[in-house]
């Protein structure tokens, strides 16, 4: 009985240990993924600020302050940068931004230098998502939303800014230069491609179980973006129109990033709840299994004890306690037997008559 109990406990314990280890590993990964979400939000905001600064600097205008975006990035890095191994790269990006702001470039130089910063910020976003394994999450919904946040929205914002960066012709009704025509064509191509990718991501997220709230918010944001893209892809638009459209694209993409990351957070929270429930179920199953094994073993042992009792007297009494009953002898019979024995002692055997005594 004891051996069987040990074997059953070992089997159930192994089951519980396997479930516990798998859940612990996944919970640790989810915790890392959660740490990356505010990092991506801060980098997305900084990317929009860099695009706006490039447009202003290219036109020789006052560059808007990016202090709030840089402070937000620094705060996030102070909390989780070391865990994600991004502190050094974040410091490099901040130093590069501060250097360009201090140099104050304008024109084509500003377009190039701020463009390099935008690429650097986008690369850091991709590294954060890869390090946190968000792009390898087993849930398709999470993967497509992170792809939208890390790839499509930065491309969309940067392309809209590039359309706004192209200076108007020097003379009214004059045609843009060949270089500007090429830049506009490339920017508009990137706009349409990024928007198509963003739309596909939202559709896939919807098909894989995204919440109704996210679907409604994303649909509204995509509709607004489509209106602005129509202005940015139309030839010979006034400079103010393209500038306002590019600004609206930045606002709508920021809203989309917030909605998408909130949906990812919700999906991760639901997964944590599921893993917690699985751990509880595994624990209850182990306890119930061991208890059931004890009951079965106990019930199996009872018939054997009853049989043993029958063999020892029917009522289970000890053999030593069973009385031995001897036959009863009358005292008068014993006296008579004694007298006969005494009388027989004086009687001798009579000699047999021989032939000579005849």
């Amino acid at each position: 009985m004891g051996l069987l109990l040990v074997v059953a406990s070992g089997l159930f314990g192994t089951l519980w240990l396997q479930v516990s280890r798998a859940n612990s590993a996944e919970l640790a990964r989810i915790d890392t993924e959660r740490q990356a979400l505010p990092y991506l939000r801060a980098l997305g905001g900084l990317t929009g600020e860099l695009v706006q600064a490039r447009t202003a600097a290219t036109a020789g205008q006052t560059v808007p302050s990016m202090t709030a975006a840089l402070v937000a990035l620094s705060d996030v890095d102070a909390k989780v940068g070391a865990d994600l191994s991004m502190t050094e790269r974040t410091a490099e990006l901040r130093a590069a931004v501060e250097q360009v702001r201090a140099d104050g470039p304008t024109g084509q130089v500003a377009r190039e230098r701020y463009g390099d910063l935008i690429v650097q910020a986008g690369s850091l976003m991709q590294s954060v998502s890869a390090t946190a394994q968000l792009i390898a999450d087993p849930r398709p919904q999470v993967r497509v939303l992170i792809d939208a946040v890390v790839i499509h929205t930065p491309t969309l914002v940067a392309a809209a800014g590039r359309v706004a960066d192209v200076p108007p012709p020097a003379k009214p009704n004059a045609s843009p230069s060949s270089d500007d025509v090429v830049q506009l064509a490339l920017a508009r191509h990137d706009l349409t491609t990024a928007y198509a990718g963003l739309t596909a991501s939202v559709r896939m997220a919807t098909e894989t179980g995204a919440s109704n709230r996210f679907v409604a918010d994303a649909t509204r944001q995509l509709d607004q973006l489509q209106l602005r893209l129509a202005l940015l892809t139309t030839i010979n638009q006034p400079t103010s129109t393209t500038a306002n459209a590019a600004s609206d694209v930045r606002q709508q993409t920021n809203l989309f990033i917030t909605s998408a990351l909130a949906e990812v957070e919700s999906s991760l929270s639901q997964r944590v709840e599921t893993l917690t429930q699985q751990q509880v179920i595994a624990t209850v199953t182990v306890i119930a299994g061991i208890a059931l094994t004890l009951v079965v073993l106990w019930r199996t042992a009872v018939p054997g004890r009853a049989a043993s009792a029958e063999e020892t007297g029917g009522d289970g009494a000890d053999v030593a306690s069973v009385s031995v009953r001897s036959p009863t002898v009358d005292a008068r019979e014993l006296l008579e037997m004694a007298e006969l024995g005494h009388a027989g002692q004086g009687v001798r055997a009579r000699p047999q008559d021989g032939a000579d005594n005849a």
Side-chain angles (χ1 to χ4, degrees), residues 329-339:
V329 181
D330 192 350
R332 289 175 297 180
E333 295 179 353
L334 293 176
L335 180 59
E336 292 177 355
M337 293 175 63
E339 290 178 350

Side-chain angles (χ1 to χ4, degrees), residues 275-358:
L275 292 174
T276 303
Q277 293 175 357
Q278 289 179 354
Q279 189 66 41
V280 172
I281 292 174
T283 302
V284 172
T285 301
V286 169
I287 295 174
I290 294 176
L292 181 60
T293 302
L294 284 172
V295 171
V296 172
L297 291 176
W298 177 259
R299 292 178 65 87
T300 302
V302 168
R305 297 180 58 187
S308 176
E310 293 177 357
E311 293 175 358
T312 57
D315 56 354
D318 190 1
V319 175
S321 65
V322 179
S323 61
V324 179
R325 300 179 62 183
S326 59
T328 303
V329 181
D330 192 350
R332 289 175 297 180
E333 295 179 353
L334 293 176
L335 180 59
E336 292 177 355
M337 293 175 63
E339 290 178 350
L340 290 174
H342 178 72
Q345 291 179 357
V347 180
R348 294 183 179 178
R350 181 180 176 178
Q352 297 180 357
D353 294 336
D356 55 351
N357 294 329

Side-chain angles (χ1 to χ4, degrees), residues 14 20 36 40 43 67 72 77 95 100 121 124 145 147 154 164 170 208 233 256 264 305 307 324 330 338 340 347 356:
T14 301
S20 179
L40 295 178
L43 286 170
T67 302
D77 180 70
V100 173
L124 185 57
L145 289 178
D147 190 61
T208 53
T233 54
F256 177 83
V264 171
R305 297 180 58 187
V324 179
D330 192 350
L340 290 174
V347 180
D356 55 351

Side-chain angles (χ1 to χ4, degrees), residues 39 73-74 76-95 124 128:
Y39 225 122
L73 180 60
S74 297
V76 172
D77 180 70
K79 295 177 181 178
V80 299
D83 295 335
L84 296 174
S85 302
M86 293 297 157
T87 298
E88 183 177 354
R89 292 188 60 181
T90 301
E92 293 175 355
L93 175 60
R94 292 185 72 256
L124 185 57
V128 169

Side-chain angles (χ1 to χ4, degrees), residues 48-110:
E49 296 291 335
L50 290 172
V51 170
Q52 186 178 11
R54 182 182 63 182
T55 300
T58 301
Q61 301 172 355
T62 302
V63 176
S65 174
M66 291 180 285
T67 302
L70 291 172
V71 169
L73 180 60
S74 297
D75 291 342
V76 172
D77 180 70
K79 295 177 181 178
V80 299
D83 295 335
L84 296 174
S85 302
M86 293 297 157
T87 298
E88 183 177 354
R89 292 188 60 181
T90 301
E92 293 175 355
L93 175 60
R94 292 185 72 256
V97 171
E98 295 293 350
Q99 185 62 51
V100 173
R101 292 177 63 190
D103 295 342
T106 58
Q108 182 61 29
V109 176

